[in-house]
Amino acid sequence: MRSPLASAVFDAALREPGRDALVFGGRAVSYGELASRVRATAGLLASRGVVPGDRVVLPAAAAPEFVYGYLACHALGAASVPIDSRLPAAGLAQIVERIRPRLVLALSELDSRAPERDALADVDPDDVADVLFTTGTTGSAKGVMQTHRNILAFARGRNAAVGASPDDRVLIPLPLNHGFALGRLRATLLAGGTVLLASGFLPDEVLGAFERSGANALCCVPAGLAVLFRLTGDALGEHAGRLAYLETATAPLSDELKARLLALLPGTRLYNSYGLTETTSTIAFVDLRAAPDKRASVGRPVPGVEISVIDGQVRVRGEHVMKGYYGEVERTREVLVDGWLVTNDLGALDADGYLHLTGRRDDLINVGGLKVSPLEVENALKRHPGVLDCACVGVVDPAGLSGESVKAFLVAADGAPRPEPAELSAFLRRSLEQYKIPGQFAWVDALPRTPLGKLQRATLKAS
């Protein structure tokens, strides 16, 4: 077979060469131009020795040039390795040492006018198409190998779940070296739609895209939505008539954000979703409007995906599951067991097959032999009007009685007085057992998070 992603772009260029494929900074790149630029970039890579099976490191900036290089790798049968375009030299050196790529390219090199290469390389569906490094919330990033089969299975499942069409103009204001954003780029191009690239969740870029670029779909993360609401109030609601659907993922969506989105966007399909880099992005969706009694869940698996929960631990099986971790055979064996991906997530499936997450295995706090899920305590704390955001970690019990105790890091709500520890403890006793009540409370200006809003608990534990 040929690369399904590159083939889809070339086929779209033959059918509708003038249709917009990419929009960035007010400039549109048609499918015809995209195909031409991908062929030219493939010619450049081939002239520099890239052959099937090689790895090519690319700076994943929100720019058409990255997309040219990314698709050119697929067309040649090479594996792309998208990295944060702002990655420090030391971080890049670590990736190069692990990956041993044929090339490490700068963004300027991907604006190629080299002779076009027409031939698409033959690939096996299980050949590695991409190596994506996880965000490393624990400080231990892994190179996840995603195959052509993985990418096609994800795109089909996602597009079916959200009702994607060639008329979609999807705004992606997120880093393209992460699975959520890159997955939406892939899925939209495979559907023949238009990708609107934005270099961050800046209010003018996000809100302006509806007026200037005709955006009618938005992929975002809860942290980005929170920033947008804080800076612009309810301005997103002014575009409700244009917005067909909105997807959010990568971190829990608070009840407050769910309620605000439902109120502001009455005609918009609102999807909360669940997935991992190891499952080639999202594998489960819940429509917040169509399934009001399931809003506390992260969704039901898409066709072709099986989710099971054994001893509280979430497992996944299907064509979405990665090939493994690059260069880490033992680590791969630990998580790929009898055809299942054993995740680090804890949860439960309800009678209708919806997944409800309760935390992560390595985040559990051991209080005198009793296990405490930080997520449960955090959700309770967030219901206090004086708490905007919070995170809980396990620390050594200062009294030396229970091994660990719970410590809560709190961000104060705007304009609200900071409640005293005694008030917070009394508030929590209404819904939590005594051993789950934090023994320490610390106020901070902000919580440490990755660019996609994932909480970095390891940083808090070290503080």
Side-chain angles (χ1 to χ4, degrees):
M1 63 173 279
R2 306 295 173 87
S3 158
L5 187 53
S7 295
V9 169
F10 293 156
D11 290 345
L14 291 174
R15 293 193 310 271
E16 295 184 272
R19 176 184 283 274
D20 289 348
L22 307 172
V23 177
F24 176 71
R27 174 179 171 244
V29 177
S30 68
Y31 270 96
E33 182 182 355
L34 177 59
S36 176
R37 300 299 293 272
V38 170
R39 290 190 179 100
T41 306
L44 169 70
L45 299 185
S47 73
R48 296 182 61 178
V50 175
V51 297
D54 280 347
R55 292 157 301 285
V56 178
V57 175
L58 305 170
E65 290 78 12
F66 164 72
V67 183
Y68 306 156
Y70 176 72
L71 293 173
C73 288
H74 283 229
L76 292 172
S80 78
V81 186
I83 61 167
D84 187 339
S85 57
R86 300 162 299 179
L87 187 68
L92 175 59
Q94 290 177 358
I95 289 176
V96 169
E97 177 67 23
R98 290 174 63 178
I99 290 293
R100 301 291 183 181
R102 173 71 66 178
L103 293 176
V104 178
L105 294 172
L107 195 66
S108 59
E109 295 178 271
L110 298 170
D111 189 15
S112 174
R113 302 292 179 175
E116 296 184 15
R117 182 183 176 95
D118 287 325
L120 278 169
D122 289 322
V123 299
D124 186 281
D126 295 318
D127 285 347
V128 177
D130 297 332
V131 180
L132 296 186
F133 280 87
T134 63
T135 48
T137 56
T138 64
S140 179
K142 303 174 288 287
V144 177
M145 295 185 290
Q146 299 177 348
T147 68
H148 296 281
R149 187 192 303 277
N150 294 157
I151 290 170
L152 187 58
F154 156 73
R156 286 173 172 170
R158 177 268 179 186
N159 287 346
V162 304
S165 83
D167 294 326
D168 289 352
R169 297 178 69 85
V170 184
L171 177 61
I172 306 177
L174 301 165
L176 291 169
N177 57 300
H178 293 292
F180 179 50
L182 186 61
R184 272 59 195 171
L185 171 75
R186 299 163 175 158
T188 304
L189 293 178
L190 276 161
T194 303
V195 175
L196 311 180
L197 299 171
S199 54
F201 221 93
L202 304 174
D204 182 63
E205 288 206 45
V206 173
L207 299 179
F210 294 100
E211 296 284 355
R212 297 191 293 264
S213 304
N216 60 17
L218 172 62
C219 296
C220 55
V221 296
L225 284 171
V227 169
L228 187 68
F229 286 141
R230 181 175 293 186
L231 296 178
T232 68
D234 291 339
L236 180 63
E238 298 172 9
H239 306 283
R242 299 182 177 90
L243 194 54
Y245 65 85
L246 180 151
E247 287 181 75
T248 182
T250 78
L253 186 64
S254 69
D255 290 342
E256 179 186 357
L257 284 176
K258 290 175 187 176
R260 194 164 185 176
L261 289 171
L262 287 163
L264 283 178
L265 305 171
T268 299
R269 305 192 303 276
L270 300 172
Y271 298 102
N272 192 25
S273 59
Y274 167 73
L276 306 92
T277 309
E278 288 87 344
T279 61
T280 324
S281 195
T282 309
I283 54 171
F285 289 81
V286 58
D287 185 331
L288 299 178
R289 195 177 305 284
D293 58 331
K294 302 297 184 182
R295 289 173 187 166
S297 78
V298 292
R300 190 161 49 184
V302 298
V305 170
E306 294 179 74
I307 295 178
S308 70
V309 178
I310 298 178
D311 295 329
Q313 196 163 359
V314 178
R315 299 185 176 212
V316 181
R317 181 165 66 181
E319 292 188 341
H320 295 62
V321 173
M322 67 170 182
K323 190 166 188 172
Y325 296 125
Y326 188 88
E328 298 189 80
V329 175
E330 289 304 317
R331 204 172 193 179
T332 298
R333 286 176 180 163
E334 290 175 1
V335 299
L336 296 181
V337 180
D338 297 328
W340 291 87
L341 170 70
V342 181
T343 78
N344 198 34
D345 293 320
L346 302 175
L349 290 166
D350 67 22
D352 299 313
Y354 285 80
L355 179 63
H356 298 254
L357 295 181
T358 57
R360 292 177 63 81
R361 183 178 57 174
D362 56 7
D363 288 338
L364 288 178
I365 303 167
N366 189 340
V367 179
L370 299 172
K371 300 299 191 292
V372 178
S373 166
L375 186 61
E376 181 184 7
V377 183
E378 290 158 7
N379 287 339
L381 279 166
K382 288 176 185 177
R383 289 194 285 270
H384 192 287
V387 177
L388 175 67
D389 199 3
C390 64
C392 295
V393 299
V395 296
V396 176
D397 177 17
L401 299 175
S402 60
E404 282 190 306
S405 66
V406 181
K407 181 175 181 178
F409 292 85
L410 308 167
V411 179
D414 292 341
R418 292 182 176 182
E420 294 295 326
E423 178 185 343
L424 290 170
S425 296
F427 177 81
L428 292 175
R429 288 192 193 97
R430 302 174 192 170
S431 57
L432 300 178
E433 298 93 327
Q434 179 61 38
Y435 70 90
K436 297 177 181 178
I437 307 297
Q440 301 175 58
F441 296 93
W443 292 95
V444 295
D445 293 332
L447 298 174
R449 297 185 182 275
T450 69
L452 290 187
K454 292 183 179 180
L455 183 65
Q456 295 180 302
R457 293 187 194 275
T459 301
L460 290 173
K461 288 180 179 180
S463 64

